[in-house]
Amino acid sequence: MSRTAPRSIDQYLRQLREELVGADAALIQDALYDAEEYLRAEVAAHPDKSEADVLELIASTYGAPDEVAAAYRDTELKVNKAMSTPRKMPKGGTGAFWGVFLDPRAYTSLFFMFLSLVTAMTK
């Protein structure tokens, strides 16, 4: 769907809100607040230009409302995945012992342990 480029901050925010319909309310609020803060700062930094001209200039750096909405949705997915509860480890004597070998976090911890050992020895 092709939209006209926003000519004012209010129009930009309205389009951004429409692009984020169905998203989490906190995500929408964050996106709108960040966009408004950035756009108003840019308009204030260019007092010699009209609001529409500044919006046209920063369209390539900040992005169109649909691009900004897509970026916020992608970030939300990444954060939700990172904040998800880790999978449960097997219970019981044998399962708990051998379960360590199946956990990728164990290898990351082992790598950092050896890295700290090597850097401590070089001082």
Side-chain angles (χ1 to χ4, degrees), residues 33-96:
Y33 177 79
D34 292 344
E36 183 176 14
E37 182 180 18
Y38 179 78
L39 296 173
R40 292 205 187 280
E42 286 297 316
V43 168
H46 299 90
D48 55 326
K49 297 183 179 174
S50 71
E51 189 174 297
D53 291 340
V54 173
L55 282 174
E56 188 176 317
L57 285 173
I58 62 174
S60 62
T61 57
Y62 193 71
D66 58 336
E67 296 169 341
V68 172
Y72 270 91
R73 286 183 192 271
D74 289 344
T75 303
E76 182 77 6
L77 289 174
K78 289 176 187 174
V79 168
N80 286 340
K81 184 177 178 184
M83 298 298 290
S84 66
T85 305
R87 60 185 172 88
K88 293 187 178 185
M89 299 304 290
K91 294 190 179 186
T94 308

